[in-house]
Amino acid sequence: GNPRKMISPDSLLCRSQAPAQKRVYLAWEENAQLDLVMEFSSFSTKRFDQVKKKQIYEQILQVPYYVIFDPHAVYLNVFFLKNGHYQLLEAESDGRCVLTDLGIQIAIEEWNSLRLFDHQGLPIPTREEQQTQRAEQEALKAMQLAQQLHHQEQQAEAEKQKLLAEIAQLRRQLQP
């Protein structure tokens, strides 16, 4: 509850809680272990991220994974907690850091952006990509519905023409 002793990561993962967008995550109220903390570092925050925050996440909060990413200096440091101390996780030959316990991989991609991958190595869609996928799915559903309606309209028109032809034939038969 002491605002001077607060720490705010840029991003966090807590698997024991349902996904949510929270403006504030109060660890002592949530009563849940953080699984991963990410800091998007810069020249001005580098020392604080690499020393003070790292120490807090390691020794006090004991967060299993701590990620520091600087898109300007283009580096990615992934630390994992082992015997109470952070150790640097070495990247694979493809540049990805595998966070086995979490079932994810993390890497720097083009344009110096950070990318997450699932346990199979497939990209985890960003929020924007998810929105685009949903919009594409909705557009596809709308097109399919329009095609269905058009097909039904054609069937109704064919049925109408058939009935009109039958009526015309009955009229001809009824004429003397």
Side-chain angles (χ1 to χ4, degrees):
N2 183 348
R4 291 186 196 156
K5 289 194 174 190
M6 74 129 203
I7 189 166
S8 179
D10 293 321
S11 186
L12 61 86
L13 172 66
C14 180
R15 294 180 300 170
S16 65
Q17 297 217 326
Q21 290 183 344
K22 295 182 179 186
R23 196 179 77 68
V24 178
Y25 182 91
L26 305 174
W28 62 91
E29 287 182 8
E30 301 294 340
N31 198 24
Q33 171 68 41
L34 296 176
D35 296 298
L36 174 132
V37 169
M38 282 190 202
E39 293 295 346
F40 297 92
S41 198
S42 67
F43 181 76
S44 63
T45 65
K46 181 178 181 176
R47 181 159 172 70
F48 189 59
D49 293 336
Q50 291 183 347
V51 179
K52 187 66 175 172
K53 282 189 172 184
K54 183 180 173 193
Q55 182 181 35
I56 292 169
Y57 296 137
E58 174 187 63
Q59 296 173 8
I60 298 171
L61 296 174
Q62 298 178 340
V63 180
Y65 289 97
Y66 178 44
V67 176
I68 304 173
F69 171 62
D70 187 333
H72 305 290
V74 192
Y75 70 83
L76 172 66
N77 289 332
V78 178
F79 298 95
F80 66 98
L81 199 59
K82 184 174 182 180
N83 299 324
H85 298 286
Y86 277 139
Q87 294 185 6
L88 188 62
L89 183 65
E90 293 294 323
E92 301 288 316
S93 59
D94 61 0
R96 295 182 184 183
C97 291
V98 179
L99 288 65
T100 308
D101 301 347
L102 301 180
I104 60 173
Q105 302 170 17
I106 188 168
I108 297 175
E109 286 215 324
E110 65 245 10
W111 304 296
N112 301 338
S113 63
L114 199 61
R115 188 68 194 223
L116 297 176
F117 301 86
D118 66 16
H119 67 283
Q120 296 174 320
L122 300 172
I124 296 173
T126 63
R127 186 172 290 130
E128 292 81 16
E129 290 169 340
Q130 289 173 351
Q131 289 171 343
T132 300
Q133 287 174 351
R134 277 195 290 274
E136 289 171 352
Q137 288 171 348
E138 291 300 318
L140 182 60
K141 284 180 187 175
M143 282 178 46
Q144 289 171 340
L145 181 59
Q147 287 174 345
Q148 267 184 329
L149 291 173
H150 180 70
H151 182 70
Q152 289 173 351
E153 189 178 88
Q154 287 178 327
Q155 284 180 322
E157 182 62 30
E159 188 66 28
K160 174 184 162 188
Q161 293 303 323
K162 182 179 170 186
L163 290 172
L164 288 174
E166 287 177 13
I167 290 171
Q169 184 180 3
L170 288 173
R171 283 187 179 157
R172 281 192 300 274
Q173 288 174 353
L174 293 174
Q175 286 179 349

